[in-house]
Amino acid sequence: MERLQQSAAILVATFLVVWLVAAVAGLSGTVAADKHTYEDAENYTEAGNFTIEAYAQTDHYPGDQNKENGSIIYYAKLADIIYEVGGENGTWSDFIIINADWIDYSACDTENTAVFGIDRNDTYTGTQVDEDLVEHQEKVTFRDDGLTINFLDWNDFGGDPPYFNPRGDEIVANQGGGSNGGTCLTYTSEPGWYTLQGFLNGTEAKAGCTEEGNADCQPPESAEKSGGYMWTRPYFYICECDSREEARDKLGPPPNKEGESTPTPTQSGETPTATPTATPAPSETPTATPEPDDTPTATAADDTGDDTGEDTPANTETQAQNGGSNTTPTVGGGPGFGAILTLTGLLASALLLRRRS
């Protein structure tokens, strides 16, 4: 009888150990790198060309002098990014996230959007587009540190997600000035050089089936999902300046290509140290995707800076890591940890039973 009890205890302990290992492995699998999510996306700043422009010169003025009166124009030349993200067949986009904790979008609405569309194969200049993306929007969340654009899904009534071809499409947007709703943005009140981050993801399209509105083109569940982000360049200046040259005189040159930096002097002669600060995660983004927690603030300028379109955000890789979720799971504080504690207790009980026997 004693030997039977010992054998039973050993069997139970062995089973629990195997079960525990499987549970931990399964948990690890759920948090493995997934390029479709924000925190694990790759940096495609060098592969594409993401720029922003002021609609009016006053858009460069500090927010305390221009509250809810700012505008912005975006040009995101996707180049080879879609090929890298979605494959040779292109991709159906799920959503776009713009992170800029130096721009307050919270007073904006869809009616403040003058243009939001796709310039197919990047054939136009200015804000002319071939396809309107507003009609593909399911919901837009305007935050005090950016915005999140959720596109329609295949099963949603009234539309479908937008398609981006694998070579050459450009996303163009004009927010504020020129729209039915007028201006709405408030820029930071702290003079300096700034950059923002754009994230795009999607699902790989079927070969030869990229027609929007065609239900047969809906990708299967097994289709690859991926995503990527870009930083804007060159840097955008904030100061009461009438030109970029005047901004360089007052602020010093923008950060250089290598990302080395020194504090940016303000108009008053003070030299604040610019450091990234944490910003709240978007309040409403797809639940399956980790939300951004941090976005960069003003990046200090380098006195050997390069004020050309080749400007690259300072400390890009570090900032990108800060953009994802950096929370560390604690015991009992995350998915699967309660089960692990239970299993550990059962394992201890089984071993105790064997010892007593």
Side-chain angles (χ1 to χ4, degrees), residues 107-176:
C108 300
D109 205 339
T110 301
E111 65 179 7
N112 299 107
T113 302
V115 177
F116 180 41
I118 305 173
D119 175 5
R120 294 294 185 192
N121 299 310
D122 187 17
T123 56
Y124 297 121
T125 58
T127 58
Q128 185 176 353
V129 296
D130 296 294
E131 180 178 340
D132 183 22
L133 283 174
V134 174
E135 65 183 23
H136 291 281
Q137 293 176 177
E138 178 190 25
K139 185 176 185 179
V140 182
T141 303
F142 297 93
R143 314 187 313 268
D144 62 3
D145 61 353
L147 72 158
T148 301
I149 303 169
N150 295 71
F151 291 121
L152 291 165
D153 199 358
W154 287 94
N155 299 320
D156 291 332
F157 178 77
D160 48 31
Y163 170 76
F164 293 100
N165 72 47
R167 303 286 184 186
D169 282 352
E170 178 183 37
I171 299 176
V172 179
N174 178 8
Q175 195 166 17

Side-chain angles (χ1 to χ4, degrees), residues 246-302:
E246 184 179 353
R248 289 173 62 90
D249 291 338
K250 290 184 177 181
L251 304 174
N256 66 8
K257 298 178 183 179
E258 289 72 32
E260 298 175 357
S261 61
T262 55
T264 304
T266 62
Q267 292 173 258
S268 62
E270 299 176 353
T271 55
T273 301
T275 55
T277 56
T279 55
S283 57
E284 300 182 47
T285 55
T287 55
T289 303
E291 300 168 341
D293 292 323
D294 303 323
T295 51
T297 58
T299 304
D302 188 290

Side-chain angles (χ1 to χ4, degrees), residues 153-239:
D153 199 358
W154 287 94
N155 299 320
D156 291 332
F157 178 77
D160 48 31
Y163 170 76
F164 293 100
N165 72 47
R167 303 286 184 186
D169 282 352
E170 178 183 37
I171 299 176
V172 179
N174 178 8
Q175 195 166 17
S179 67
N180 292 331
T183 58
C184 62
L185 300 174
T186 301
Y187 288 91
T188 179
S189 298
E190 184 68 32
W193 296 100
Y194 292 82
T195 183
L196 62 79
Q197 183 195 67
F199 170 81
L200 171 73
N201 73 355
T203 305
E204 183 180 11
K206 294 179 180 179
C209 195
T210 60
E211 180 184 358
E212 293 180 347
N214 184 351
D216 293 336
C217 293
Q218 179 176 356
E221 289 295 326
S222 59
E224 181 179 354
K225 297 178 181 292
S226 193
Y229 64 87
M230 291 189 293
W231 294 96
T232 54
R233 57 183 186 180
Y235 278 74
F236 189 90
Y237 63 90
I238 296 293
C239 66

